[in-house]
Amino acid sequence: MRILLAASEAVPFAKTGGLADVASGLSKALSARGHEVTLVLPYYRQAMSEAIPRQPTGRFLETSLGDLKVRAVVLESRLEGSDARVLLIDHPHYFDRSGLYVQQGSDYPDNCERFCAFSRLVMETARAFHLQPDIVHANDWQTGLIPALQQIEYRRQSGFERTAAVLTIHNMAYQGTFWQQDMHLTGLGHEYFNWNQMEHYGQLNLLKTGIVFSDAVTTVSPTYAREIQTDRFGCGLEGVLQHHGSKLTGILNGIDIDVWNPESDPAIPMPYSKENVKPGKAACKKKLQRRFNLSENPFTPLCGMISRMSEQKGFDLIQGCINDLLREDIQLVFLGTGDSHYEDFIRDLASKRPDKVAAMIGFDETLAHQIEAGSDIYLMPSRFEPCGLNQMYSQAYGTVPVVHAVGGLVDSVIDCTPETLADRIATGFHFQEYTSDAFLARLKDALAAYRDDDVWDVLIDNGMSCDWSWNRSAEVYEQTYERALASLPNNPPSTPE
Ligand code: ADP
Ligand code: GLC
């Protein structure tokens, strides 16, 4: 198949969260399975580094958002170790900025214009490069306009008559909602601003737009696919998702095992596999303790957490039990950035208890690898989690996750019970209720297991034996693409351009 994947971030070009890992991981996996994959991204300042090879294509794009003309040029690159092609949309006014979506804690005021323009430029890229895609696969609200453009405008044009529209929802908490005056930026007629299509409670909603107009919608785990059809997790769009439920599938993300593999990870002090996990992790732990001036005691369990510091990630649960937590023989290492009140809380904790808590407020890919390798336990007490990647990285690195039993965490961590231990399938610890007490109780269970070598070795071995490669998920995406193509009307509208 010819697949055009559109995303607002992808490693190594730009990253704020898991979407970046997924966009490139899935592109590589689909390409390795023989598909012709083009990944289209904004050309952000983050991608302008010497380390990223790219070249001009000589192609210019032009589109309009209502009365506003938008022009861009296109650069070309590749995903390392893959045939997947990357096209970067160069529009300095929109994308040559310090952040991707946010500056000093506030959304850029022109985000609607930036990503409506990007969505239109993606479709114009397909035209300019004669890609004739079978599938245009959009991701999250930033590209939520694309399925609407496909259905309303492009399907009538040559080269797009049999192109299916697929949308993946990575997070219902971000919907791209804008005041109704921004509707003109979509370039679509006001008749689409109604509650069945692009409007939601008086606002333009780009995620809803993508859901409504796609031929198939996926989200990033089977459990989250069920959860978002309920009012607890649907963030107000549960009714829309129920209505479109027949085209919704949950597909668990994979991980890029070329990048997240303790056997070949250049960021960690000693590479290791299942066979030498003990000395390997011991060396990585010691180095991590040293880096953060924690006592280099090999027996104190070290708990790591790498995360956007947002409401989603469960920092409030840690706040709620921190005094009890610090009474344990434990070390805590945090890496993250985000909401200032959580940053302040963690920074403050590290300065008051340097014997037990270390923190790095910022974004540091290398340190993320070192924390995964050097920790014994990984904390993921997320309030909700569409998929989550770090619990999978943790298992691959022999680090045992403690997770809230929601979304992708349920689908990727097998709770440790006497039965799952005996069956040699347990890989971590679930807590059910979203409370500090429930989290603390289950973390204490994990600490007890840590002190029992027989149990701990089994947990590590089970986790490291799991297959998290993208190939498995890519196969399910293929089936979804096939279904989306099969659902296209036989006689598409054939109005000339
Ligand atoms: P989300 O996309 O909701 O942030 P995921 O678990 O899917 O959560 O993915 C987060 C990704 O971002 C992981 O690869 C994680 O290691 C990375 N990450 C998050 N915060 C940081 C940080 N401060 N420094 C380095 N990597 C980070
Ligand atoms: C989102 C979700 C996260 C998921 C990631 C990639 O940011 O919060 O759970 O893993 O997207 O799909």
Side-chain angles (χ1 to χ4, degrees), residues 104-231:
Q104 282 158 2
S106 304
D107 289 353
Y108 287 116
D110 59 349
N111 272 350
C112 186
E113 180 182 326
R114 296 170 75 215
F115 290 102
C116 284
F118 176 62
S119 296
R120 283 197 169 271
L121 291 167
V122 167
M123 293 309 294
E124 284 307 302
T125 303
R127 194 215 307 269
F129 287 79
H130 308 291
L131 296 180
Q132 305 208 321
D134 298 300
I135 303 291
V136 176
H137 183 164
N139 290 273
D140 277 350
W141 72 264
Q142 290 90 342
T143 46
L145 183 63
I146 290 179
L149 297 177
Q150 285 182 253
Q151 276 228 20
I152 297 167
E153 297 182 0
Y154 283 81
R155 214 160 265 171
R156 298 166 186 281
Q157 300 178 16
S158 131
F160 294 96
E161 300 94 334
R162 302 227 36 96
T163 303
V166 176
L167 172 79
T168 295
I169 302 169
H170 297 263
N171 198 331
M172 291 301 302
Y174 304 97
Q175 297 183 5
T177 49
F178 302 98
W179 70 329
Q180 65 162 302
Q181 262 79 350
D182 281 345
M183 183 64 197
H184 76 276
L185 294 171
T186 66
L188 296 176
H190 210 79
E191 66 274 21
Y192 296 104
F193 192 75
N194 66 72
W195 70 276
N196 273 321
Q197 294 180 307
M198 301 176 73
E199 179 253 353
H200 198 63
Y201 288 98
Q203 291 191 298
L204 168 63
N205 185 313
L206 291 176
L207 188 64
K208 174 173 174 175
T209 300
I211 295 167
V212 168
F213 285 98
S214 290
D215 301 301
V217 179
T218 73
T219 187
V220 289
S221 67
T223 297
Y224 195 59
R226 289 188 294 276
E227 287 174 345
I228 58 180
Q229 298 181 57
T230 67
D231 51 1

Side-chain angles (χ1 to χ4, degrees), residues 397-411:
Y397 280 68
T399 303
V400 176
V402 176
V403 304
H404 182 210
V406 284
L409 301 175
V410 174
D411 298 334

Side-chain angles (χ1 to χ4, degrees), residues 15-19 21 171 253 260 306-308 312-313 335-337 362-365 368 380 385 387-391 393:
K15 169 164 170 174
T16 66
L19 168 61
D21 302 67
N171 198 331
N253 288 330
W260 291 95
I306 305 153
S307 179
R308 287 189 290 115
Q312 174 185 345
K313 299 294 182 177
L335 166 62
T337 156
F363 199 93
D364 186 333
E365 197 81 42
M380 205 137 171
E385 196 59 79
C387 178
L389 299 174
N390 285 99
Q391 80 284 5
Y393 301 151

